[in-house]
């Protein structure tokens, strides 16, 4: 039988071990907060590569091509190229790709933005060679067959058009980009229902676009959860035969330096109401027009609380509390050589009318310096958190890094972004707000046009 004294000594020793373990555990949690999330960059077989070897059993891999809607030489080509991904190559049928990926427990994805086409995969770390080979096949051996175009790809594009028709927020945002930039960045993310697709789109044109999009200087391969040596080894092996020049028949991917215009567009819609008030913003971190104060201004304007049961500190959250029928949010859209700061107001038309006027008043008050130091401090902290969170986000980090390598030869490094945001002061925010309010706004209104206001009625220049 064990004595009470022995039990006492045992319990005390166990308690001490528990305390020590707790201290070690706490230190382990703190380490990532001060650690670096920098990407290691390089070149393999003439292809730009980047990797971030974060510990874990899985890997996320992406081919990021400078082939978004900004660069397409006909409407819908970026959509078509995205939807042809993984449909079948000269080596593997679509069915074989599906079966092999299922057996490996992987996931495949494809999407496009205004500047990039991203073909990606998630999988167990040991399966890196297979998925690098698969992405190389998509880039160099995709079969752009007429029957898959007419039976699968084109119907998918038509479905995306119908989805856009029902989304007034997306319609307004597309419209605001068109007003702000006209061509290039102003091209709609998806073709609208009124676009004459039959006149422009064909599987042969998509194949031509693919021959330009998947040339070595035009894309980068980025991995999260893989060593640089492993990624370099397999890219060297599987991307060696990737062409450096497009097909002789293919037009060059051209897009001049983005120029901001501004203006107003009103679109009648029967089901819901949305207004987007957009202003000149900041380019991405890798661009030469990067302005960290724009991200802080967006956080200061806000509209949506980041804390449950609290309206939050943001100026528009306080203002819109008097109009429960409207939802307000402030965002930034950043691109390689330009950007937008935009406020989205959704909900009941009469509340949108009131809140949109308050947005302009709030911007003018910031431009006049009528903001407390405490609110500015909170906005800087929130903008820094959002930037770091976006960089930590695997999918967003892969696209930003790949785009940075292709556009300017520099990977997206979130540590540097955070330092820039930390240095933003009240005068910079005041100047950014003044520039926004004095510039021509890009105002898109979708919904009940009888009630929703014109830009000049709420005090904006268009």
């Amino acid at each position: 039988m064990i004595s009470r004294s022995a039990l006492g000594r045992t319990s005390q020793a166990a308690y001490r071990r528990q305390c020590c373990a707790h201290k070690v555990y706490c230190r382990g949690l703190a380490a990532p907060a001060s650690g670096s999330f920098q990407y290691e960059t390089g070149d393999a077989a003439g292809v730009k590569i980047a990797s971030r070897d974060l510990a874990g059993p899985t890997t996320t891999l992406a081919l990021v091509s400078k082939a978004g809607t900004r660069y397409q030489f006909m409407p819908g080509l970026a959509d078509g190229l995205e939807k042809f991904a993984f449909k079948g190559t000269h080596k593997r049928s679509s069915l074989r790709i599906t079966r092999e990926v299922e057996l490996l427990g992987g996931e495949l994805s494809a999407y496009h933005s205004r500047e990039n086409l991203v073909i990606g995969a998630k999988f167990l770390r040991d399966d890196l060679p297979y998925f690098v080979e698969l992405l190389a096949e998509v880039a160099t051996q995709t079969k752009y067959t007429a029957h898959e175009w007419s039976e699968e790809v084109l119907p998918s594009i038509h479905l995306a058009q119908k989805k856009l028709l029902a989304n007034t927020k997306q319609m307004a945002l597309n419209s605001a980009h068109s007003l702000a930039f006209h061509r290039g960045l102003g091209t709609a993310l998806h073709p609208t229902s009124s676009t004459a697709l039959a006149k422009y789109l064909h599987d042969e044109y998509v194949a031509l676009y693919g021959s330009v999009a998947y040339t070595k200087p035009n894309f980068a391969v980025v991995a999260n959860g893989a060593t640089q040596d492993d990624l370099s080894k397999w890219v060297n092996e599987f991307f060696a035969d990737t062409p450096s020049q497009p097909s002789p028949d293919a037009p060059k991917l051209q897009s001049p330096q983005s120029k901001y215009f501004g203006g107003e567009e009103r679109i009648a819609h029967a089901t819901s109401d949305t207004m987007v008030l957009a202003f000149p913003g900041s380019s991405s971190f890798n661009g030469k027009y990067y302005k960290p104060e724009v991200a802080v201004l967006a956080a200061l304007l806000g509209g949506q609380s980041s804390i449950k049961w609290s309206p939050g500190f943001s100026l528009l959250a306080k203002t819109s509390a008097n109009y429960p029928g409207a939802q307000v949010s402030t965002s930034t859209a950043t691109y390689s050589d330009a950007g937008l700061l935009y406020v989205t107001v959704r909900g009941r038309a009469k509340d949108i009318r009131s809140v949109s006027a308050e947005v302009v008043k709030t911007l003018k008050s910031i431009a006049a310096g009528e903001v407390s130091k405490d609110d500015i401090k909170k906005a800087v902290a929130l903008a820094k958190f959002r930037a770091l969170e976006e960089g930590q986000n695997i999918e967003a980090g892969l696209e930003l890094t790949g785009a940075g390598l292709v556009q300017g030869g520099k990977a997206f490094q979130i540590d540097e972004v955070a330092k820039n945001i930390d240095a933003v002061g009240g005068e910079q925010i005041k100047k950014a707000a003044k520039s926004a309010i004095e510039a021509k706004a890009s105002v898109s209104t979708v919904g009940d046009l009888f009630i929703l206001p014109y830009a000049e009625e709420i005090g904006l220049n268009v």
Side-chain angles (χ1 to χ4, degrees):
M1 186 173 179
I2 303 173
S3 66
R4 288 190 178 186
S5 59
L7 280 173
R9 289 192 298 272
T10 303
S11 61
Q12 289 172 9
Y15 178 73
R16 285 194 296 270
R17 287 195 298 271
Q18 186 181 11
C19 290
C20 292
H22 180 68
K23 290 176 182 176
V24 172
Y25 178 66
C26 290
R27 286 197 296 272
L29 280 177
S34 58
S36 174
F37 289 91
Q38 306 280 43
Y39 278 89
E40 188 177 350
T41 61
D43 189 280
V47 176
K48 300 176 184 69
I49 63 171
S51 66
R52 186 167 63 177
D53 187 19
L54 296 183
T58 64
T59 298
T60 304
L61 180 72
L63 185 154
V64 183
S65 171
K66 190 177 74 173
T69 52
R70 173 178 185 169
Y71 303 102
Q72 61 188 16
F73 46 82
M74 287 184 182
L77 287 179
D79 251 315
L81 193 58
E82 170 206 317
K83 290 173 172 57
F84 258 118
F86 306 115
K87 283 295 179 188
T89 68
H90 291 288
K91 183 178 178 180
R92 292 176 170 89
S93 67
S94 177
L95 179 63
R96 179 179 169 184
I97 291 172
T98 301
R99 292 290 181 264
E100 288 177 348
V101 173
E102 285 177 342
L103 287 170
L104 294 174
E107 296 179 10
L108 301 177
S109 63
Y111 69 91
H112 71 274
S113 60
R114 282 187 161 78
E115 290 195 306
N116 306 304
L117 171 69
V118 183
I119 310 299
K122 296 179 182 179
F123 47 88
L124 296 174
R125 193 182 183 99
D126 291 341
D127 297 327
L128 179 66
Y130 171 83
F131 286 94
V132 173
E133 183 182 13
L134 181 59
L135 292 194
E137 282 185 29
V138 170
T140 60
Q141 300 185 47
T142 292
K143 292 196 293 185
Y144 301 96
T145 58
H147 72 275
E148 283 186 315
W149 166 255
S150 58
E151 293 174 9
E152 296 185 31
V153 175
L154 193 56
S156 295
I157 294 175
H158 288 318
L159 284 174
Q161 288 179 310
K162 292 179 180 179
K163 185 178 180 181
L164 178 63
L165 271 177
N167 189 333
T168 57
K169 179 183 177 181
Q170 206 58 47
M171 288 175 67
L173 195 54
N174 273 334
S175 170
H177 274 81
S178 179
L179 292 166
F181 302 114
H182 291 186
R183 300 184 185 277
L185 289 175
T187 304
L189 205 52
H190 300 282
T192 60
S193 57
S194 57
T195 304
L197 286 180
K199 181 180 177 181
Y200 297 105
L201 271 185
H202 192 273
D203 56 282
E204 293 178 2
Y205 298 150
V206 178
L208 275 179
Y209 192 55
S211 75
V212 186
Y214 295 133
T215 54
K216 286 182 179 179
N218 204 65
F219 70 85
V221 177
V222 189
N224 195 97
T227 66
Q228 185 75 349
D229 288 343
D230 285 345
L231 182 62
S232 178
K233 174 184 176 182
W234 299 116
V235 169
N236 266 316
E237 180 170 339
F238 296 120
F239 281 87
D241 297 330
T242 304
S244 298
Q245 297 293 330
S247 167
D249 301 328
K252 292 182 179 179
L253 296 189
Q254 294 180 337
S255 180
Q257 166 69 44
S258 295
K259 180 182 176 182
Y260 182 86
F261 295 93
E264 181 174 18
E265 184 175 20
R266 294 168 65 82
I267 305 169
H269 200 283
T271 59
S272 59
D273 304 289
T274 301
M275 276 190 80
V276 169
L277 316 178
F279 310 91
S282 165
S283 71
S284 61
F285 170 72
N286 295 315
K288 59 182 179 179
Y289 302 102
Y290 173 63
K291 301 172 185 176
E293 60 269 22
V294 173
V296 180
L297 178 57
L300 182 61
L301 285 168
Q304 299 288 326
S305 176
S306 58
I307 303 172
K308 193 173 183 180
W309 309 123
S310 167
F313 74 92
S314 70
L315 304 183
L316 293 182
K318 297 172 184 175
T319 300
S320 61
N322 300 320
Y323 306 97
Q327 296 178 338
V328 191
S329 62
T330 308
S331 307
T332 58
T334 59
Y335 306 105
S336 59
D337 61 353
L340 284 181
L341 167 72
Y342 63 93
V343 180
T344 306
V345 190
R346 306 172 67 192
R348 293 184 302 192
K350 64 176 184 178
D351 285 335
I352 291 176
R353 184 182 185 92
S354 301
V355 171
S356 59
E358 293 295 333
V359 171
V360 180
K361 291 178 183 177
T362 303
L363 256 179
K364 289 180 178 179
S365 70
I366 298 172
E370 299 170 2
V371 184
S372 70
K373 291 182 179 179
D374 193 43
D375 281 344
I376 290 175
K377 185 177 180 181
K378 292 175 184 177
V380 169
L382 181 58
K384 180 181 176 181
F385 167 76
R386 286 175 175 171
L388 291 171
E389 184 188 38
E390 184 179 25
Q392 264 186 284
N393 179 284
I394 293 175
E395 284 76 13
L398 291 175
E399 181 180 356
L400 288 168
T401 300
L405 287 174
V406 175
Q407 301 280 1
K410 183 180 178 182
F412 174 78
Q413 305 293 14
I414 60 175
D415 294 0
E416 296 176 37
V417 176
K419 289 177 185 176
N420 282 309
I421 291 175
D422 257 339
V424 173
E427 280 302 314
Q428 289 172 277
I429 298 170
K430 179 180 174 180
K431 185 178 178 181
K434 188 176 180 181
S435 297
I437 209 69
E438 290 178 352
K440 285 183 67 175
S442 299
V443 181
S444 178
T445 306
V446 183
D448 186 349
L449 302 185
F450 180 75
I451 299 175
L452 294 171
Y454 282 87
E456 65 175 356
E457 293 175 352
I458 58 176
L460 286 176
N461 300 316
V462 291

